[in-house]
Amino acid sequence: MTLSAEQLELHDRMVTAMEEVQAGILALEPVRGIGVGLRKENGRLTDELAIIIYLRGDPGDLAHRLPTTIRDYPVAVQEADFQPQALATEKRVSAKADTKRYNPLLGGISMAPSRLTDGAGTLGLIVRGNYAHEEAMMLSNYHVMCLKDGLAQPGDEMCQEARSDNTIGWCGNCAELRRWFVGNIPLASKEYGVDAAVAVKTARDALISEVVSIGKLLGTGEPAVGMAVRKRGRTTELTSGRIQSISASILESVGPPHGDVVMSNQITVVGDIGPFSAKGDSGSVYVNPAANKVVGLHWGSTTADGDSVGNHISAVIAALNISIPSAPDDVVRAAEEPGPS
């Protein structure tokens, strides 16, 4: 289901109304976000548009202070405390999680920086950088590749699989951190939140624009409210869902030196059957199966039901100066393979 022309016009008017009041709404505790999208009932998306206020936990005394309409548009209150999803495993590995080492490298698999010994995220996709000597690069989140301690440095070694995903804790070193972006970037007269980073491949073959269980992708597209999407992550592997909102402003706890950042114009997704994502899936990409194109980069979800949130892929591309080609046969061959560290 996608929006009709009439619904698209209504959606845009509702976004304008939301933007007029969102600063005041976001200042209320325990509000964690606000957006325009499809109302959720009994765990599933309806076809009704509403201004959605996302709350952490029960609203308590705030309930009577929240509006039921904004500029005469309906308001829906939804419990959704979105959190970054790099996994702190403490050496415990999910029975379902994909913890394997891959050669060639491709999207949808376990990864983490070498300096992290007790966690994992997801290598979302192998992309191309737009500077010299960036033939193949790992794309994931800032909070996956750089962590949340403010200590990341260009050249930090990346492991696939993450060190905590093997029994001896060694790093299958295959890339070096190159650059990252966290915050909001102006794009087409709006601000878009980005939590993303790239690392240059240093070893193993790599499959450009290909994801485990999804296959070869045909470049990028734009997300839309109601669009069906899939993602392949390290923990929950292949899941499907529908886009609830493409205009959500969500508070993300990024860590020092950034603190809490309001990520503007984020994509929210509700799973078709059960959680769309879980801890360890951060960095996976949202794919529109109808066109087989990337539309978003996942960074977080709710603990209770696995509703998810991610960046518009167009903003990620602009922030990191990368490209995601339509590359059905694009393989980057390995240089000499380094040993484990």
Side-chain angles (χ1 to χ4, degrees):
M1 174 262 179
T2 53
L3 301 184
S4 66
E6 183 179 359
Q7 286 176 308
L8 285 171
E9 291 180 3
L10 174 61
H11 172 272
D12 291 346
R13 294 196 301 270
M14 293 173 74
V15 169
T16 298
M18 177 203 72
E19 290 173 343
E20 292 174 357
V21 302
Q22 75 172 26
I25 298 293
L26 290 171
L28 300 173
E29 181 66 30
V31 173
R32 303 295 288 180
I34 186 171
V36 173
L38 300 175
R39 183 191 295 271
K40 180 182 174 185
E41 289 184 3
N42 300 318
R44 304 295 296 272
L45 292 181
T46 69
D47 295 336
E48 179 187 355
L49 285 171
I51 297 174
I52 303 163
I53 298 176
Y54 298 102
L55 295 182
R56 176 177 56 206
D58 188 278
D61 293 339
L62 181 64
H64 71 280
R65 298 167 54 199
L66 292 174
T68 56
T69 61
I70 293 176
R71 306 292 189 266
D72 294 326
Y73 297 119
V75 169
V77 176
Q78 181 176 322
E79 184 177 346
D81 183 15
F82 295 108
Q83 296 293 331
Q85 283 197 298
L87 173 65
T89 63
E90 297 177 355
K91 295 297 182 183
R92 288 177 282 107
V93 177
S94 166
K96 182 182 178 181
D98 182 355
T99 61
K100 297 190 298 291
R101 184 177 186 268
Y102 281 80
N103 190 6
L105 299 165
L106 72 171
I109 60 179
S110 164
M111 71 154 296
S114 182
R115 65 194 184 90
L116 181 66
T117 60
D118 64 347
T122 296
L123 192 174
L125 201 62
I126 300 293
V127 302
R128 291 195 181 280
N130 292 333
Y131 298 114
H133 309 298
E134 294 182 341
E135 189 177 21
M137 307 184 83
M138 289 181 170
L139 171 66
S140 190
N141 292 134
Y142 163 84
H143 77 267
V144 171
M145 287 189 173
C146 302
L147 308 183
K148 296 172 67 177
D149 56 13
L151 301 179
Q153 296 290 329
D156 284 354
E157 191 174 74
M158 297 293 131
C159 310
Q160 197 296 304
E161 72 282 27
R163 292 177 63 181
S164 60
D165 277 344
N166 61 71
T167 57
I168 59 176
W170 64 272
C171 173
N173 50 315
C174 55
E176 293 179 353
L177 182 64
R178 178 57 57 90
R179 57 185 174 274
W180 57 83
F181 189 93
V182 58
N184 290 282
I185 182 172
L187 190 67
S189 77
K190 287 183 175 287
E191 294 279 322
Y192 289 82
V194 174
D195 172 350
V198 284
V200 175
K201 182 186 77 71
T202 57
R204 302 188 216 170
D205 293 348
L207 303 177
I208 304 288
S209 299
E210 185 165 339
V211 179
V212 176
S213 303
I214 294 178
K216 297 167 182 175
L217 304 181
L218 301 177
T220 64
E222 291 299 320
V225 173
M227 176 185 284
V229 288
R230 298 190 291 174
K231 76 102 193 64
R232 210 280 183 173
R234 171 250 181 221
T235 303
T236 58
E237 300 190 3
L238 184 64
T239 58
S240 63
R242 287 174 65 202
I243 293 179
Q244 180 184 37
S245 176
I246 60 171
S247 60
S249 292
I250 304 293
L251 188 65
E252 180 181 359
S253 298
V254 182
H258 308 284
D260 290 349
V261 178
V262 176
M263 295 287 187
S264 300
N265 287 298
Q266 299 296 279
I267 304 166
T268 59
V269 181
V270 174
D272 289 332
I273 302 174
F276 185 69
S277 65
K279 289 182 178 180
D281 289 333
S282 273
S284 53
V285 293
Y286 299 160
V287 177
N288 170 12
N292 212 29
K293 294 185 177 184
V294 182
V295 299
L297 178 68
H298 173 73
W299 64 259
S301 81
T302 60
T303 302
D305 50 18
D307 291 352
S308 302
V309 62
N311 310 147
H312 285 241
I313 198 63
S314 56
V316 172
I317 288 171
L320 296 179
N321 197 14
I322 58 174
S323 58
I324 300 176
S326 174
D329 296 305
D330 210 350
V331 181
V332 177
R333 297 297 178 187
E336 184 178 352
E337 179 99 1
S341 63

